[in-house]
Amino acid sequence: MKTKPVQQLTLSALLIALSVLIPLVMPRIVIGPASFTLASHVPLFVAMFFSPKMSMVVALGTSFGFLLTAPFIIALRALSHLLFAVLGSLYLQKRPQIVNHPKKFQLYNLMIAMIHAVAEVIVVAAFFLLGGSPQVSYDTSMFTLLFAFIGIGGVIHSLVDYNIAYFIVKTLSKSFPVPIFKKASNK
């Protein structure tokens, strides 16, 4: 099912606004320079159920919003979301029926979470190695930061947020046309 361009633009704008607003109001866990805000990825994950194009727009819009409102490293991490969002959305387009199979969906969710975390580890490592933060030493604290907090913590954070998004979108799909759920019900 195709949505009208005005609907897509409006929904994309609302999701971008939510992406920038959520970190201001939701609980946050901060461990060193790593931080995890509950539901911060939900708007982007919601976009993935609509289209790769919407996922791309929301990822870019969110990155720009964070460039204006947050530290530069946060904007770079948000920009890295472009990778998993587009890949994940393309996968959903090809296999929409996965949303009807909880075990398969959770495996897909884990793969997206791993791509998400690896992309953020690469961005953060590059940022620190290029001198973006003089507070972090390049010894065990760097390893701990990257792999334990950004890597493993990022996977867990992604898994939780995608499940929240799935629950929201599945509920909305009962009264609002969500393309992936519409395609899944037709197969």
Side-chain angles (χ1 to χ4, degrees):
M1 160 135 195
K2 298 240 181 207
T3 54
K4 296 177 184 165
V6 173
Q7 287 175 318
Q8 289 179 342
L9 181 63
T10 303
L11 184 56
S12 296
L14 288 170
L15 292 172
I16 292 166
L18 281 172
S19 293
V20 175
L21 180 65
I22 284 172
L24 299 175
V25 298
M26 293 300 285
R28 179 182 317 208
I29 297 170
V30 179
I31 305 169
S35 70
F36 307 97
T37 304
L38 180 64
S40 62
H41 302 99
V42 169
L44 181 55
F45 287 136
V46 167
M48 290 169 63
F49 290 100
F50 285 85
S51 73
K53 183 177 170 182
M54 185 179 292
S55 299
M56 187 180 346
V57 168
V58 173
L60 291 171
T62 300
S63 301
F64 182 70
F66 285 138
L67 185 61
L68 299 175
T69 62
F72 186 62
I73 185 64
I74 302 297
L76 288 176
R77 286 174 63 188
L79 187 59
S80 77
H81 296 166
L82 192 58
L83 177 66
F84 79 79
V86 172
L87 289 175
S89 187
L90 286 169
Y91 187 86
L92 284 175
Q93 292 293 317
K94 289 182 181 181
R95 293 179 178 82
Q97 67 280 5
I98 197 170
V99 299
N100 295 326
H101 302 282
K103 288 180 183 178
K104 289 180 181 178
F105 185 80
Q106 289 309 319
L107 184 59
Y108 156 80
N109 187 4
L110 179 61
M111 294 309 297
I112 293 301
M114 292 173 71
I115 294 168
H116 180 175
V118 167
E120 286 202 19
V121 166
I122 290 168
V123 166
V124 172
F127 182 77
F128 287 139
L129 292 173
L130 296 173
S133 180
Q135 308 103 305
V136 177
S137 63
Y138 304 106
D139 55 7
T140 52
S141 67
M142 177 66 136
F143 179 82
T144 303
L145 168 71
L146 288 175
F147 296 101
F149 298 138
I150 304 295
I152 295 169
V155 167
I156 294 166
H157 185 203
S158 186
L159 289 169
V160 169
D161 280 2
Y162 209 168
N163 278 305
I164 293 169
Y166 174 79
F167 174 76
I168 290 169
V169 175
K170 185 173 182 176
T171 303
L172 285 175
S173 73
K174 293 175 179 146
S175 55
F176 182 79
V178 177
I180 294 301
F181 283 90
K182 201 76 156 158
K183 285 180 185 179
S185 68
N186 292 336
K187 293 203 178 220

